[in-house]
Structure formats: structure tokens, C-alpha cells
Amino acid sequence: MKTNEIRNKFLKFFERKSHVIWPSDSLVPQNDPTLLFTGAGMNQFKDMFLGKGNLEFKKATTCQKCLRTGDIDNVGRTASHHTFFEMLGNFSFGDYFKKETIEWAWEFLVQELKIPEDRLSVSVYNDDQESYEIWEKYVGVPKAKIYRYGEKDNFWPANAPLLGPNGPCGPCSEIFFDQGERIGCGRKECEPACDCDRFVEIWNLVFTQYDRTEGGKLTPLPHKNVDTGMGLERMARVIQGVQTNFDIDIFSPIIKSLEEITQVKYNGQIEHAILMRRIADHVKACVFCISDGVLPGNEGRGYVERRLLRRAIRDGTQLGIKECFFIQIGADCKQCNAGILSRYQAASGKHCTDCEE
Ligand code: SER
């Protein structure tokens, strides 16, 4: 199943559950001066969670463009990390809560995406007995596959009660895909919280019910909310059965053009693969930043982008590229040879912007 199909299936599934399909916010948050970049689907709905928003619906679904640089050093080295990625989500502003969220998530994974149930495990926040029981009694997940973790793993933002940030937060329940014993640490007792690659976290269901204020005080919000997040590239990797996010259909044209530009094989030395993955990630991040109006600069957002650009150029140099190469990446629109942004717009179901093919 192509990445585009997963994106569409998700949005349509929640539309059938009476959600409004709402556009992604810009990477430059339109409604939150505390953030440099949009890093989660819920950012644009913060006021709705706080009971101060003016949207006229209580259920929404989005595919949000996200930029996170906290894990920048892992990009390319691990199967999953990105700076820029797309996050699918469904949201409730005082409408449904845990039962529907959990049941719909399972329905989507098992019935729409046809993931075998026995490959899935879940986790709940330590004392969230309600979610535990929904997973066990209503969905039928065996006890052995329901894990209880603390604030680091099962609270969003992670560790928020102790460390912040202030704002809407709550316990969460995560769903993991088991890649099997042959992947990762190989320990019999390996479980989703293990740092190895065996369990891929595919969906985070956040029950946003508190407002954190100074000193770690958690005040119940005016109503209970839901904020879920599923990394699209990661889900595509699971569904397409490939080793890393960079092997999925929307990344392989970028990797392929890097092979052509550099004449270096992606499947050759691992160090080369890491450089190529990092270039693919960073160039894509820069393209989306620029399309949202952020230009490379010396401070703020522009500085972040400049850093991404410089890292990608450095990696290109290490692969032996001497000339300017970004413009050539992914330039394979059959009709007009358009560059990467046009291709991604075409991939999102729109026409290639250059030739309207
Ligand atoms: N806000 C949560 C996350 O980013 C769920 O969408 O993981």
C-alpha cells in the first residue's frame, strides 16, 4: 500500500466517524508564539483544548506537517528518525474520549490496514485502569500484551508533570508493531519500552485532560480531549515491510536520485547510506520550510534551516559531490522534470505544480 493511500484511508476513515478533515497548519505555527516550528498535530488546536477556541466542530482529523530537531543526531542512523515528517491525527474537543479513541484506532489498524492483531501490543499510563480495561475487555488484547509505563513513556508531552512544558497535557496509550524476535536486541523478555528496534511505536493516543501550570500543577481542563498522532512515514514502513523509513515509496525517488548524482550505491556501505538518508531528510525539511516562508538565516527559524542545509551540504561533500546538487534531487516528473516540492505536491494527490500533469 502506497503512502498516499495510507494518508487518504486515515482521513476518510475518520471522516466516516463524523470528523472534519482539516488542513495541516503551516510549519510556522499560526496560533502559538511559544513554538518555533509546528511539531505536532495538536499545536493548531491548543485553544480548542483550553476551551478558548472558536472552531465550530468538536471532531477533526488532519495530516500535519511537522518539524522536530530534538533528535537530529539520530536522523539517518536509526530506522525511524526524521526532522520533517507527516503526522496523521484525530482530535476530540470535549466530544468522545477513551473508549471510542481506542476502539477506532484498533479498527483502523486491523480492518483498514489489515495489520495482523498478533503483531500489535499496547501500553497505558501506570494508573490508567480505564484504558487498560478498554483494551482488555472491549478490544480483546491479551493481558500479556498490555504494558503499563510511567510519565516518560505514557504521558504527553513526555515527563510533562515534572518537567513541563506548561499547557494541555495528559496520559497516553501507545500502540506498537512487533517486527519479531529476529529484529533488535534478541532478548526473550524484550518489550515495547526497550531501546532496540523490535517494537515500532505506530500510534500515540493522548487523553488531553489537564492544563499544566507553573510548578507542575495539573488542573483539569474544562472538558476532556483527545489528540492522537501516527507518524505517516513510520506506518508506511510497517505496511510496506521495508527496513527503514527511507526505503518507503515516497523516499525512494530521492535516494535513487542521490545514487545517480553521486554514483554511490545506497545499499553498499552503511556509512554512505546514513549520509544519503540524512541528505534526503534535511533537503525535504528545507523544501517544506521554504514553501512555508522560512528562508535560511542567522537566527530563529532561519538559523535552524541554515543548519539543516549546511549539514546536508557537508554530507554531500563526504559523498564526493563538488557542485550544487539539491536542485537535481528527485527531479523526475515525467513531463517537466520538476523538483522535489512539485513531486510531493503531486504525491499528495494534487497536480505537479509545474506542469499540471
Ligand atoms: N501530540 C502527540 C504526539 O505528538 C500525539 O499526537 O505524539
Side-chain angles (χ1 to χ4, degrees):
M1 195 185 297
K2 301 263 194 227
T3 306
N4 279 347
E5 212 177 324
I6 300 172
R7 189 195 294 109
N8 285 339
K9 264 188 192 293
F10 186 97
L11 298 173
K12 290 283 172 200
F13 176 84
F14 283 102
E15 189 179 45
R16 289 199 298 279
K17 309 279 186 203
S18 320
H19 291 60
V20 171
I21 301 179
W22 195 246
S24 168
D25 194 11
S26 162
L27 279 177
V28 179
Q30 300 298 291
N31 194 22
D32 191 344
T34 66
L35 294 173
L36 209 52
F37 287 104
T38 301
M42 59 78 73
N43 292 160
Q44 67 169 325
F45 298 124
K46 213 159 144 185
D47 280 351
M48 292 301 285
F49 288 150
L50 292 167
K52 301 190 295 199
N54 52 15
L55 295 174
E56 279 166 6
F57 46 83
K58 289 181 161 185
K59 290 184 269 196
T61 181
T62 63
C63 180
Q64 175 64 52
K65 296 176 277 187
C66 296
L67 191 84
R68 294 184 185 178
T69 54
D71 284 318
I72 194 167
D73 289 329
N74 285 327
V75 175
R77 298 190 179 281
T78 67
S80 302
H81 283 99
H82 290 292
T83 55
F84 175 87
F85 62 99
E86 294 178 62
M87 191 190 279
L88 294 162
N90 56 292
F91 305 90
S92 158
F93 316 118
D95 193 276
Y96 61 91
F97 201 45
K98 291 180 180 172
K99 187 159 181 289
E100 290 90 337
T101 308
I102 289 175
E103 287 182 337
W104 288 340
W106 197 257
E107 184 184 334
F108 181 72
L109 295 174
V110 174
Q111 287 177 28
E112 294 284 320
L113 298 186
K114 312 271 182 240
I115 298 182
E117 289 187 16
D118 62 358
R119 304 290 293 273
L120 299 173
S121 310
V122 302
S123 66
V124 298
Y125 182 55
N126 270 335
D127 61 5
D128 184 358
Q129 190 57 21
E130 190 186 349
S131 294
Y132 190 101
E133 284 178 15
I134 297 168
W135 282 121
E136 195 204 347
K137 295 201 179 118
Y138 292 93
V139 179
V141 177
K143 276 193 169 120
K145 291 192 167 190
I146 310 177
Y147 297 84
R148 290 180 190 270
Y149 297 133
E151 284 166 14
K152 176 173 159 284
D153 295 296
N154 277 95
F155 209 93
W156 202 87
N159 287 317
L162 194 64
L163 304 176
N166 290 340
C169 61
C172 62
S173 182
E174 294 188 317
I175 308 177
F176 302 86
F177 177 79
D178 183 359
Q179 302 195 87
E181 273 178 33
R182 288 199 333 219
I183 307 282
C185 68
R187 291 180 310 128
K188 264 253 159 305
E189 63 280 14
C190 179
E191 56 172 271
C194 179
D195 276 340
C196 83
D197 249 355
R198 174 170 165 184
F199 290 91
V200 185
E201 181 212 316
I202 51 175
W203 206 341
N204 187 11
L205 317 177
V206 184
F207 306 115
T208 313
Q209 60 192 95
Y210 302 113
D211 184 20
R212 183 196 194 272
T213 45
E214 271 327 305
K217 187 162 175 255
L218 299 183
T219 311
L221 286 163
H223 45 65
K224 292 177 176 170
N225 309 284
V226 169
D227 151 31
T228 86
M230 172 196 283
L232 175 63
E233 295 81 356
R234 206 181 273 194
M235 180 51 87
R237 165 179 144 217
V238 164
I239 299 292
Q240 293 173 15
V242 290
Q243 245 182 338
T244 79
N245 291 13
F246 297 94
D247 301 300
I248 66 174
D249 61 326
I250 61 167
F251 264 107
S252 44
I254 307 178
I255 299 288
K256 195 159 158 278
S257 53
L258 279 170
E259 281 188 314
E260 280 161 17
I261 296 165
T262 58
Q263 293 298 304
V264 172
K265 280 261 155 264
Y266 174 65
N267 283 327
Q269 293 180 33
I270 181 66
E271 284 310 320
H272 289 160
I274 292 171
L275 295 172
M276 285 174 164
R277 290 177 199 150
R278 207 152 55 196
I279 295 173
D281 173 273
H282 290 5
V283 169
K284 193 173 166 187
C286 290
V287 166
F288 276 89
C289 280
I290 291 166
S291 79
D292 278 345
V294 180
L295 296 177
N298 289 339
E299 53 189 32
R301 298 186 180 98
Y303 179 75
V304 174
E305 187 182 329
R306 192 179 77 161
R307 189 163 167 230
L308 291 166
L309 270 174
R310 290 172 69 131
R311 287 165 62 102
I313 293 169
R314 182 199 58 197
D315 289 345
T317 313
Q318 285 190 26
L319 285 168
I321 316 178
K322 296 199 174 64
E323 301 91 34
C324 170
F325 65 98
F326 287 6
I327 197 75
Q328 297 171 51
I329 297 175
D332 67 355
C333 170
K334 284 189 209 78
Q335 191 140 311
C336 68
N337 218 30
I340 184 171
L341 177 61
S342 308
R343 287 177 37 75
Y344 270 95
Q345 283 174 342
S348 321
K350 295 181 194 154
H351 291 301
C352 164
T353 47
D354 287 15
C355 70
E356 305 239 315
E357 187 187 10

